[in-house]
Structure formats: structure tokens, C-alpha cells
Amino acid sequence: MEFNEIVTRVLGSHMILTASIGLCINVLMFHHFWKLEKTSFYMLCISKTVSNCMTLLIYLLYVGPVNAFYNPIGTLELNAYLNQALGYGLILQGPITQCLITINRLLVVWIFELYVPQYSGTITIFAISLSWVFTIWVSTLFGLPDNCRVPFAFPHVGYTQTDCNNQVTWYMLYGILGLAASTNFMNILIAAKLFCRSRSQKRLSSEAHRSRRKLSIRFYFQSCSQDWISVLDFANNIASFTYCLSQVCVTSITMGFDVFVYGADGFVMYMFNRKISTKKIEIKSSKSSAFMKQNMTIITPISS
């Protein structure tokens, strides 16, 4: 057995195991977010867990077995469609959703600090739907020639490269860089606003206001953590293409780390949301209602 075959088989086994664990974490978080109130933030988190699960399923059911058993599964056309979905459609869906999450945090921190507009849920659903329509098109490249789809570059399976699919790869890289730059710029604005607010309103804000601010800070750090996981993944991919001398090396480093990213993303969501439950939300809302009624009783004049 050659060295490249041993590495490929070990990589495939790693993918199957890591994808299984990551899938369990993301399914758990999907179930958790589904039970919570359907705010814009939680709807975006649900969308993120769905894209993570779909990615991990491709790793678990196709990419992992192809490498672990060192044998192709299906046709080259199936190979190209699955890689287009995994490496182009879904890999863009993650940063797009992350950008929408950051936009949501920016609006909450800068504009809608004390209240949530009624139309926010409708706008969020529309934005999520639009992002998934775009993801489906990128995954299939409907209307473009078949040679524009990029197959998995597995030496033991066989793959083809054309000018069209190389161009698609560059467009994907430009898209990810643009989304990353936009998201990080908005994170800087959010951090500046949270810092200024913590200094100016520390003593003047009400208990409900302070609780909302703490939640905003928590969700901000969750968003930043997920962003930096994506940045590390992108940097890892660039480094592998720069320093690796063989396609087996590139595949091992890029996909070996990439399969870990989606489980880590789900784990970050778990760490920042594990203490949030439906019961706690109901208790907080009932306390705030009682507080408002009490204040209304105090300030309302007695009619003669």
C-alpha cells in the first residue's frame, strides 16, 4: 500500500468520525433553536445549523467513504454536483448567513436598542430565502455549461479542470473575501457602539435594558467566534495551496480541517446559547410585564 493511499484512507476515516460528531452537535442546536422564540437572530442560527448539517452529510455519506475506501462512488457527474454543492454553494451559504447575523446585531445595537420592529421577522425570512435560492443556483450552476462545475480533485478518483470551472473558483474566492471584509467591518462598528454604551449607560439604564445589553454582547462574541473560525479555514486553504507539493497534501490539509469547521461552528453556538431556555425567556418576559404594570400603576393619576 502506497503512502498516498494510507494518507487518503486515514483522512477518509477522520472525515467520517468528525462529520458524525459535528452532525450530532448541529442537530442538537437546531432542535434547541427551534424551541426558542422565532426572533430574527434565532431564525438565522437555525439556517446556519441547516447548512452545517447538509455540508456534514456530504462529508459523511460521500467524501469520507470515497477516501476511506479509496474507491469512487457513482459517476464523475455526481462527483461534480456534490463538490459544487459542498465547496461552492454551501461554503458561500455559511458566510452569507454569518453576514446576515452581523447585520442583525448591527441593527439591534445601533438602531433598535429598546424595541424590535414587527416587520423584522418578515425581512429575515425573505433574506434567508433569497440566500438559499442563491445557494441552490451556485450548487447546480443551472443554465451554465456542465464543464463549469468543479469536481472533487481526488487523484484516485480522477477529475477534470477547465477554464470555466477555474473561473468559477476565482469568483467564489472573491465572494468569500467580500463577505469577510463586510462582516469584520460591521463587527468593528458593533464593538465601538457596545464599548461607548457600556461607559455612558452603566448606571442610568434599567434592569431590562442591562439584560438586553448583556445579551447583545454575548451574541456579538458568538458572531465574532464564528467569523474567526471561517477566517482560519480560509487561511488554512490558502496555505495548503501555497506550500503543498501534491494534490494529496492539498486535499488532506484543506478538507481535513474543513470538516472540523462545521462541527466547531455548531459547538460555538452551543457554548453561547446552552443556558438560554424557553422557561427562562418566559420568566423574564413575565417579570418585565409585571414591572411595567407596577410602574403604570405608580405614574397613573387617580381619577376623581
Side-chain angles (χ1 to χ4, degrees):
M1 188 180 295
E2 297 181 354
F3 176 75
N4 286 343
E5 181 178 348
I6 295 174
V7 172
T8 302
R9 288 180 181 274
V10 171
L11 174 66
S13 302
H14 158 72
M15 288 177 178
I16 293 173
L17 177 61
T18 307
S20 301
I21 296 172
L23 191 61
C24 291
I25 295 173
N26 279 280
V27 169
L28 174 67
M29 292 314 301
F30 174 84
H31 184 259
H32 176 74
F33 288 132
W34 190 262
K35 292 189 298 182
L36 298 177
E37 182 184 0
K38 299 303 182 292
T39 62
S40 295
F41 181 79
Y42 290 137
M43 284 191 289
L44 289 167
C45 287
I46 289 173
S47 178
K48 193 74 182 292
T49 58
V50 171
S51 64
N52 287 346
C53 286
M54 292 178 68
T55 300
L56 291 168
L57 276 173
I58 295 176
Y59 272 110
L60 178 64
L61 300 178
Y62 184 84
V63 181
V66 163
N67 286 280
F69 301 127
Y70 207 71
N71 199 47
I73 297 176
T75 62
L76 185 61
E77 185 179 9
L78 174 65
N79 178 310
Y81 269 112
L82 287 176
N83 186 47
Q84 195 65 41
L86 173 67
Y88 294 83
L90 291 171
I91 206 173
L92 280 174
Q93 176 64 23
I96 289 172
T97 306
Q98 199 59 47
C99 187
L100 292 175
I101 289 174
T102 308
I103 292 172
N104 171 264
R105 293 295 90 206
L106 184 71
L107 292 174
V108 168
V109 171
W110 275 86
I111 301 175
F112 305 112
E113 181 180 352
L114 298 177
Y115 69 97
V116 178
Q118 294 181 349
Y119 53 82
S120 64
T122 303
I123 293 177
T124 302
I125 292 173
F126 175 77
I128 292 173
S129 302
L130 198 63
S131 70
W132 276 103
V133 168
F134 177 73
T135 296
I136 292 171
W137 182 81
V138 175
S139 298
T140 59
L141 293 182
F142 179 78
L144 295 183
D146 292 343
N147 64 354
C148 290
R149 286 186 288 274
V150 186
F152 287 109
F154 298 150
H156 65 287
V157 171
Y159 61 95
T160 58
Q161 288 182 331
T162 65
D163 291 338
C164 185
N165 61 37
N166 286 333
Q167 194 171 13
V168 169
T169 301
W170 281 109
Y171 286 147
M172 185 270 297
L173 291 175
Y174 294 146
I176 291 178
L177 285 174
L179 288 167
S182 302
T183 302
N184 282 283
F185 176 71
M186 287 186 289
N187 277 330
I188 293 172
L189 295 179
I190 295 170
K193 183 67 174 180
L194 289 173
F195 177 76
C196 294
R197 185 192 297 173
S198 64
R199 291 177 64 87
S200 62
Q201 298 180 350
K202 189 173 182 180
R203 296 182 179 180
L204 298 178
S205 57
S206 64
E207 182 181 352
H209 194 180
R210 286 195 296 270
S211 176
R212 184 174 174 82
R213 184 170 65 243
K214 289 180 180 179
L215 199 62
S216 295
I217 293 172
R218 179 192 298 180
F219 289 160
Y220 167 74
F221 280 113
Q222 174 187 329
S223 178
C224 286
S225 300
Q226 291 174 291
D227 288 339
W228 278 103
I229 289 174
S230 300
V231 169
L232 288 174
D233 186 34
F234 186 78
N236 176 72
N237 292 346
I238 296 297
S240 67
F241 282 104
T242 303
Y243 297 108
C244 279
L245 300 178
S246 67
Q247 186 59 41
V248 173
C249 174
V250 172
T251 302
S252 300
I253 293 178
T254 56
M255 305 197 81
F257 185 80
D258 188 64
V259 68
F260 169 78
V261 164
Y262 301 97
D265 186 78
F267 184 72
V268 167
M269 287 188 279
Y270 168 76
M271 291 300 296
F272 283 93
N273 295 275
R274 69 186 190 279
K275 295 181 179 179
I276 299 176
S277 65
T278 307
K279 292 182 180 179
K280 289 186 178 181
I281 292 175
E282 290 174 354
I283 292 171
K284 287 182 179 179
S285 61
S286 62
K287 284 184 178 179
S288 61
S289 300
F291 178 75
M292 290 298 294
K293 288 179 181 180
Q294 183 181 1
N295 285 350
M296 289 299 292
T297 305
I298 294 173
I299 64 175
T300 304
I302 302 174
S303 58
S304 57

